[in-house]
Amino acid sequence: MIAEKYVYFFGDGKAEGNVSMKDLLGGKGSGLAEMTNIGIPVPPGFTITTKACIYYSDNNKAYPFGLEEEILEHLQKLEDAVGKKFGRGDNPLLVSVRSGAKFSMPGMMDTVLNLGLNDKTVVAFAKKINNERTAYDSYRRFITMFSSVVLGMEHKDFEFILDEEKEEQGVELDTKLGAESLKDLVYRYKEAVKSLRGIEFPQDPMTQLKMAINAVFESWDNPRAVTYRKLHDIPHDMGTAVNIQAMVFGNMGDNSGTGVAFTRNPSTGEKIFYGEYLLNAQGEDVVAGIRTPHPIADLQSQMPQVYEQLTKINKILEQKYRDMQDIEFTIEDGKLFLLQTRNGKRTAQAALKIVVDMVSEGMITKDEALLRLDPNQLNHLLHPILDPSAKYEISAKGLPASPGAACGKAVFNADEAVEMNEIGDNVILVRQETCPDDIHGMHAAKGILTARGGMTSHAAVVARGMGKCCVAGCSDIKVNEEAKYFTVGETKINQGDYITIDGSIGHLILGKVDMIKPSLSSDFGTIMAWADDVRKLKIRANADYPHDAKVARDFGAEGIGLCRTEHMFFEKTRIPIMQKMILATKEEERRQYLNELLPMQREDFTGLFKVMDGCPVTIRLLDPPLHEFLPRREELMVEIANLKCKNPNDPELAEKETLLKRIEELHEFNPMLGHRGCRLGITYPEITEMQARAIFEAACEATNEGYKILPEVMIPLIGDVKEFNHQKKIVNKVAKEVMEKNNLTIDYMVGTMIELPRAALTADKIAQEAEFFSYGTNDLTQTTFGFSRDDAGNFIRYYLDNNIFEKDPFQVLDTEGVGELIKIGVEKGRSTCPDLKIGICGEHGGEPSSIAFCNSIGLNYVSCSPYRVPIARLSAAIAHLKSKKC
């Protein structure tokens, strides 16, 4: 049996892999291979492929045939490359074991450094480097990381021991502990393992290596990694590679160090070399926030030759990858080594600036710039900022780790952040420093505040990726996570107290501060212009009021795709009239109250038409069942019971009993499939008449004032073409009357929403009468799945957690089922009316993958909420560019 190749070597200026092998070697492994091939100094090592991880996960934690032999073979090759022996000899080989999936998942999976140390090799290592302190510092770090990653212990199991040792020695920093203190820590750490895990710390290096490889494989499915993939739409079946690499040591003294750098500023996109480093440290010290690092510019004065080499490599890598790179490096006794390069995580603001600048620099094309952007990231540009006119006192300062401002109740652990968010509280997650297990709390929070850490700490990197405001390294605060408070000087802030943070400048303010929406940069306008030049889909907005329409138009909407007229009736001055109309038992009474509503609705439509001057406005006639405008049945029954007890003769009692009787008459067991939509207009044609009259009177009024009006009247919930014809006849009759009265001719259209499977399946007949289709994907999803969208939330999450559904179909269009009905409707509709205008107006109209589907089946437009219009514009452009590549 010939074994499949699962291990790829890199070293001595040559690698078996390259940058094109991310699927197999992961981002880290392919990056290490590519850097090796182009002559950048990289410690040698080998990568175990993602296929091995997938096999391990799918086969009860068993290795595929031949993997163990390949690992041993490549370990021998690594020994030969560095002239050291793993686990033996007077020059022992130590390795790092790191995860590395195809897509970057900062901090989500596991890493072990200094593997191969034991009670014997630490002595040989100390003698070889002539530095007992570095050797035992590396050993105690290894015990901590291995025990955490592999044995399931927690960092705090060792942190209190370290704190005790520092206190006993009278030092503040672990770098000030001497060799004897570190030897004592190693002993105490091993005793902690024995006490808490009931085992001796593993001394056999091969056992250590296999356990670490298994732990990295298993970290692919740890809760924080699964959560991260769900948040970032990363498939769950890709697996992670494992990178085993010869250690280089940044903790050998002040001529050594470690750092993280970016070829451009990941917060602003500015073209400057950006990053942080620590001397006499190992990699986890920078990202864990244990010590506050130095800005990379300081390295120029401390190690000028290393800094010059690093800046040259920075330029080489950016030119090679044609994108902003995130690099990790270690300096061992004055010699520079690169440990990683990957496309760097960046804020939305930085993402736009970087691609615009790279187009100007001739590095990428406009099309490439658009394809590199994540449309959903545009949401992050709409963060609130502190009101410049607000008066407040800055209580503490930290690092501006992720832009934007946030206000909320202080909360000190991730689980409680989620719980408080679910009951409607805005929260700020406050931590000494965050760790990967906090990801769900960071997602729930409005912002993150940490006492430790730098600009490349876990909190900073993850917050930027999420678009969350973050202030990191705020050393002025003292956080007590267990007691749930922090202090600033003499002031104590308890859980639930309001605080405000400004992640753009690193400020903490106690209490609430007013905020305003930000203005968008010129880079945003440039990207939107490029997107508009490319896309084929038109972008409209769902807007019910003139204010919403203005916001939408300012964001580039090309019309209104859905005006929900029922929302206008819920206003305080209108709902009593609407209720009287519903309670009326005779048509004459209903018309009386409808006549009172007519000028109000006409005024609303006039405002919409004026704002959307020259753009189409699609107005949906009344859709919800009438009971939605009446008090809740149960609440009214309680009020009646109370009145009967207090004053049975109260005249209000008779009114409420009449109201209850009407509510009982209108009660339906399944109102979403009941008396609503066009069915209301058919049984109460006077409602359709009033709304049509308001639309066309408003159109005439705005036309007379010089505006260009393009009204589109949309009949909801059609299941049969005869329903449509009934309503269309009323609309046309009223339109003719109003236009003749005003001596005007206005071009208008009458179309329908396709929300029912039957409408999609009979679209050829409906298209012979309707002038446009708009798919109401919220209701079409509901009626296709047989789910009540009001109740499905009770079990949808279970479906998602148990992989029954990959996505919530009310958020992301179900292209296999609902999408197939849309496709059938499009094909059938255009078979009888080739020029039929078709769009969608459900929530899916602002979701990128759903927009891509709409583009693929030839829709004319999508309609979404006003604040998602930029996302839709960019998504439509990306969808068209990708379709051209297929």
Side-chain angles (χ1 to χ4, degrees):
M1 182 178 180
I2 299 175
E4 182 175 348
K5 183 173 176 62
Y6 288 104
V7 184
Y8 289 74
F9 190 79
F10 55 89
D12 294 329
K14 188 167 61 176
E16 294 179 295
N18 58 58
V19 71
S20 68
M21 299 173 70
K22 288 179 77 171
D23 284 345
L24 191 64
L25 303 180
K28 192 185 296 286
S30 64
L32 290 168
E34 190 67 22
M35 286 194 293
T36 300
N37 286 332
I38 62 177
I40 289 173
V42 172
F46 54 90
T47 301
I48 304 171
T49 66
T50 56
K51 283 188 177 181
C53 175
I54 294 167
Y55 185 96
Y56 180 88
S57 298
D58 292 345
N59 290 274
N60 198 27
K61 301 183 180 180
Y63 283 3
F65 175 74
L67 176 59
E68 290 198 59
E69 290 75 11
E70 271 197 276
I71 292 172
L72 292 173
E73 175 190 335
H74 283 77
L75 190 58
Q76 174 68 56
K77 197 171 181 179
L78 180 56
E79 289 178 335
D80 294 342
V82 298
K84 301 178 181 181
K85 298 294 182 182
F86 184 62
R88 63 193 191 281
D90 58 4
N91 190 12
L93 168 65
L94 306 181
V95 298
S96 63
V97 181
R98 300 172 186 260
S99 61
K102 177 182 179 180
F103 297 109
S104 175
M105 298 168 58
M108 294 303 108
M109 294 180 293
D110 293 323
T111 293
V112 178
L113 304 181
N114 308 319
L115 189 141
L117 281 172
N118 58 26
D119 293 347
K120 292 182 179 179
T121 56
V122 70
V123 176
F125 179 49
K127 187 175 180 181
K128 180 65 181 177
I129 64 173
N130 194 29
N131 190 331
E132 266 197 325
R133 192 201 176 281
T134 294
Y136 282 92
D137 183 49
S138 300
Y139 194 9
R140 66 98 182 171
R141 290 170 182 272
F142 169 54
I143 294 171
T144 302
M145 297 186 80
F146 188 91
S147 300
S148 173
V149 169
V150 180
L151 302 181
M153 295 176 65
E154 297 185 36
H155 280 287
K156 68 179 183 181
D157 296 332
F158 303 98
E159 285 174 357
F160 84 91
I161 300 174
L162 176 61
D163 290 341
E164 283 182 353
E165 188 73 33
K166 288 191 290 188
E167 188 174 341
E168 289 170 10
Q169 300 303 318
V171 299
E172 291 188 10
L173 300 176
D174 54 3
T175 53
K176 299 300 182 181
L177 291 173
E180 293 304 314
S181 293
L182 293 166
K183 287 180 183 179
D184 184 50
L185 280 176
V186 166
Y187 172 78
R188 294 172 70 181
Y189 282 9
K190 289 191 296 180
E191 288 298 304
V193 172
K194 187 189 299 184
S195 172
L196 295 173
R197 283 293 173 265
I199 60 171
E200 297 286 347
F201 186 81
Q203 291 291 303
D204 176 35
M206 285 305 303
T207 300
Q208 294 173 357
L209 181 60
K210 185 170 183 179
M211 292 174 73
I213 292 169
N214 293 352
V216 172
F217 280 161
E218 290 164 24
S219 72
W220 176 252
D221 290 317
N222 71 38
R224 63 178 184 263
V226 172
T227 298
Y228 187 94
R229 291 198 297 273
K230 285 181 178 178
L231 293 177
H232 294 273
D233 289 330
I234 297 172
H236 294 293
D237 59 356
M238 302 179 73
T240 180
V242 182
N243 299 284
I244 296 161
Q245 195 172 11
M247 280 295 303
V248 287
F249 297 91
N251 59 334
M252 292 184 71
D254 289 339
N255 200 32
S256 301
T258 186
V260 177
F262 298 83
T263 58
R264 303 189 187 217
N265 187 314
S267 287
T268 66
E270 188 180 359
K271 191 178 181 180
I272 59 169
F273 190 34
Y274 177 94
E276 297 173 323
Y277 72 98
L278 283 169
L279 295 182
N280 197 16
Q282 288 198 314
E284 75 270 19
D285 294 342
V286 177
V287 297
I290 296 168
R291 291 160 54 192
T292 299
H294 303 286
I296 197 72
D298 290 358
L299 189 63
Q300 187 171 16
S301 58
Q302 291 186 311
M303 296 184 181
Q305 290 181 327
V306 170
Y307 182 81
E308 183 180 355
Q309 185 184 8
L310 197 54
T311 54
K312 286 180 180 177
I313 289 171
N314 156 52
K315 293 174 183 175
I316 291 169
L317 289 174
E318 187 166 276
Q319 287 294 326
K320 176 68 182 178
Y321 286 92
R322 299 165 61 244
D323 202 351
M324 186 263 280
Q325 293 299 289
D326 167 3
I327 62 177
E328 293 181 13
F329 63 91
T330 288
I331 306 160
E332 182 183 88
D333 198 21
K335 186 176 181 181
L336 176 67
F337 294 91
L338 270 288
L339 305 180
Q340 171 178 279
T341 188
R342 61 186 176 190
N343 292 341
K345 297 288 184 184
R346 64 207 73 180
T347 64
Q349 176 187 347
L352 297 186
K353 180 168 178 55
I354 287 168
V355 296
V356 170
D357 286 353
M358 285 186 169
V359 169
S360 298
E361 294 161 19
M363 193 179 292
I364 61 175
T365 66
K366 291 179 182 179
D367 287 358
E368 287 175 311
L370 293 172
L371 288 167
R372 284 190 181 178
L373 296 171
D374 174 5
N376 280 321
Q377 205 177 16
L378 296 182
N379 269 326
H380 305 167
L381 295 174
L382 307 176
H383 287 309
I385 61 174
L386 298 182
D387 185 344
S389 65
K391 294 181 179 180
Y392 55 84
E393 185 176 339
I394 298 165
S395 302
K397 294 182 180 180
L399 299 172
S402 188
C407 177
K409 294 179 178 179
V411 61
F412 293 85
N413 74 59
D415 290 339
E416 292 187 14
V418 172
E419 292 169 5
M420 291 172 70
N421 176 65
E422 286 179 346
I423 62 171
D425 285 337
N426 292 335
V427 298
I428 306 293
L429 181 62
V430 182
R431 304 285 281 162
Q432 191 74 6
E433 68 252 7
T434 63
C435 68
D437 289 334
D438 290 327
I439 186 168
H440 57 304
M442 296 174 75
H443 179 63
K446 290 291 183 183
I448 298 101
L449 170 66
T450 68
R452 296 177 183 166
M455 297 292 284
T456 52
S457 65
H458 175 268
V461 171
V462 173
R464 283 197 294 267
M466 287 183 171
K468 300 283 184 180
C469 161
C470 177
V471 174
C474 189
S475 57
D476 293 340
I477 69 171
K478 308 299 177 188
V479 179
N480 189 324
E481 293 172 358
E482 291 188 3
K484 300 179 183 178
Y485 72 85
F486 73 88
T487 58
V488 183
E490 299 297 317
T491 305
K492 182 179 180 183
I493 295 87
N494 295 303
Q495 180 152 309
D497 291 343
Y498 276 96
I499 60 172
T500 301
I501 57 175
D502 188 337
S504 299
I505 49 179
H507 289 171
L508 165 67
I509 302 129
L510 303 185
K512 297 180 180 180
V513 179
D514 290 337
M515 298 186 190
I516 60 172
K517 294 172 185 174
S519 58
L520 297 169
S521 70
S522 60
D523 295 321
F524 174 85
T526 299
I527 290 295
M528 289 295 103
W530 292 350
D532 292 343
D533 287 343
V534 168
R535 64 183 169 86
K536 300 301 180 186
L537 277 171
K538 296 289 186 182
I539 309 300
R540 299 192 188 185
N542 302 338
D544 307 326
Y545 301 100
H547 169 75
D548 298 335
K550 185 177 186 311
V551 170
R553 188 144 198 188
D554 288 345
F555 278 133
E558 297 161 300
I560 291 177
L562 174 64
C563 169
R564 292 155 290 209
T565 55
E566 61 271 9
H567 288 182
M568 301 166 176
F569 297 129
F570 283 106
E571 292 187 13
K572 198 171 184 179
T573 57
R574 303 181 187 188
I575 192 68
I577 304 171
M578 187 67 178
Q579 289 177 348
K580 289 177 181 177
M581 188 276 293
I582 295 168
L583 292 172
T585 55
K586 296 179 181 179
E587 180 183 334
E588 185 179 346
E589 286 183 85
R590 283 193 294 274
R591 287 187 179 276
Q592 176 188 336
Y593 296 119
L594 286 170
N595 285 337
E596 290 185 46
L597 292 170
L598 173 62
M600 302 175 188
Q601 188 133 84
R602 180 176 61 230
E603 181 183 358
D604 294 329
F605 295 149
T606 302
L608 283 176
F609 288 143
K610 288 179 179 180
V611 171
M612 301 307 294
D613 182 22
C615 295
V617 177
T618 304
I619 298 172
R620 182 182 72 186
L621 301 184
L622 192 64
D623 182 50
L626 293 179
H627 78 271
E628 288 194 10
F629 298 96
L630 300 175
R632 289 175 59 88
R633 176 171 170 265
E634 293 77 10
E635 293 173 1
L636 189 59
M637 291 173 73
V638 170
E639 290 178 18
I640 290 172
N642 287 335
L643 280 173
K644 284 181 177 179
C645 290
K646 291 179 181 178
N647 185 3
N649 299 317
D650 191 328
E652 188 180 355
L653 178 60
E655 292 178 15
K656 289 189 179 292
E657 286 179 330
T658 301
L659 182 58
L660 178 62
K661 181 180 177 183
R662 183 60 172 151
I663 291 173
E664 296 281 9
E665 291 170 354
L666 293 172
H667 176 71
E668 295 176 301
F669 289 105
N670 193 343
M672 295 308 291
L673 297 178
H675 193 192
R676 55 169 290 218
C678 68
R679 301 158 195 169
L680 282 173
I682 290 170
T683 53
Y684 301 122
E686 56 272 20
I687 295 177
T688 301
E689 286 179 31
M690 183 278 285
Q691 291 202 286
R693 192 170 302 280
I695 291 169
F696 290 103
E697 286 183 356
C700 289
E701 181 179 326
T703 299
N704 283 329
E705 292 182 32
Y707 294 92
K708 184 177 180 181
I709 310 303
L710 300 170
E712 298 176 352
V713 182
M714 187 157 66
I715 314 299
L717 213 70
I718 292 296
D720 190 291
V721 68
K722 294 176 184 176
E723 293 175 309
F724 177 78
N725 285 338
H726 181 282
Q727 293 290 281
K728 178 183 177 182
K729 184 178 179 181
I730 295 173
V731 172
N732 285 339
K733 177 178 177 290
V734 172
K736 183 181 178 183
E737 289 174 4
V738 173
M739 287 190 288
E740 286 179 351
K741 182 179 178 181
N742 287 273
N743 197 28
L744 286 172
T745 299
I746 295 172
D747 290 330
Y748 69 95
M749 302 175 77
V750 183
T752 186
M753 291 186 85
I754 305 293
E755 305 168 87
L756 301 174
R758 191 180 190 281
L761 296 172
T762 61
D764 50 343
K765 294 181 179 178
I766 297 173
Q768 292 176 29
E769 300 294 337
E771 294 172 281
F772 66 89
F773 285 176
S774 180
Y775 282 90
T777 52
N778 299 340
D779 269 333
L780 188 58
T781 297
Q782 175 173 245
T783 54
T784 300
F785 276 97
F787 290 165
S788 163
R789 70 179 190 228
D790 295 325
D791 301 313
N794 295 328
F795 58 85
I796 287 285
R797 181 173 292 183
Y798 184 88
Y799 274 39
L800 296 171
D801 291 343
N802 288 273
N803 297 317
I804 295 171
F805 283 173
E806 188 174 324
K807 301 285 182 184
D808 182 342
F810 289 105
Q811 295 180 4
V812 178
L813 188 68
D814 162 45
T815 56
E816 289 184 350
V818 178
E820 188 63 21
L821 280 172
I822 294 174
K823 193 174 178 183
I824 290 169
V826 170
E827 291 171 354
K828 284 200 162 199
R830 287 183 175 156
S831 71
T832 56
C833 182
D835 296 326
L836 184 67
K837 181 163 66 174
I838 308 177
I840 71 167
C841 59
E843 290 303 310
H844 303 95
E847 195 282 314
S849 67
S850 306
I851 292 170
F853 175 79
C854 295
N855 183 78
S856 71
I857 62 170
L859 296 197
N860 299 98
Y861 69 88
V862 297
S863 188
C864 58
S865 65
Y867 283 96
R868 291 194 71 85
V869 167
I871 294 170
R873 290 165 69 188
L874 179 56
S875 298
I878 292 171
H880 180 67
L881 290 172
K882 287 182 176 179
S883 70
K884 284 167 53 176
K885 287 187 172 184
C886 297

